[in-house]
Amino acid sequence: MITITAIIRSKTGHEESMKMALLEVAQHVNENEPDTVDFYISQDINNPCVFTTYERFASKAAMEAHNGSTAVGIFFEKAQPILDGDVTLVTAREVSQKFS
């Protein structure tokens, strides 16, 4: 499993706009990306300007399709003016998971 963890910081006062933009990506993933296995969005409890996404992909091709999607492009267009610094991305190969 290939994963991406992204840390995204919005400027103060733009937390809701950032959250909505991220939720639009999540909706696109749910409706159009069967090989994106999971797509989680979290908002920091202590600093609501900080968001984290955790994304799991069945293959490198699935990850590339997601990253090249119109939804991700639109997200960055919306996010760019309200970002507080660079987005931190960590692309990794999953080595463990909890089994139910």
Side-chain angles (χ1 to χ4, degrees):
M1 192 78 56
I2 296 175
T3 67
I4 295 177
T5 302
I7 301 171
I8 303 160
R9 292 173 179 82
S10 71
K11 293 177 181 174
T12 301
H14 295 278
E15 304 88 351
E16 191 64 25
S17 295
M18 184 66 75
K19 181 169 69 175
M20 296 310 296
L22 286 165
L23 288 171
E24 288 173 7
V25 176
Q27 181 178 353
H28 171 84
V29 168
N30 287 330
E31 294 173 356
N32 301 289
E33 297 184 18
D35 290 330
T36 299
V37 178
D38 292 299
F39 187 88
Y40 298 99
I41 303 167
S42 300
Q43 188 173 17
D44 191 291
I45 292 170
N46 296 313
N47 182 352
C49 291
V50 178
F51 296 85
T52 304
T53 66
Y54 184 68
E55 307 161 30
R56 300 175 75 227
F57 304 97
S59 65
K60 184 177 178 183
M63 178 187 71
E64 290 171 347
H66 168 76
N67 288 340
S69 71
T70 303
V72 170
I74 291 169
F75 166 76
F76 277 106
E77 287 176 12
K78 291 180 179 181
Q80 191 60 44
I82 62 173
L83 282 172
D84 185 13
D86 293 334
V87 174
T88 301
L89 292 175
V90 177
T91 303
R93 189 167 310 282
E94 193 171 79
V95 296
S96 179
Q97 71 181 55
K98 178 181 175 183
F99 293 99
S100 300

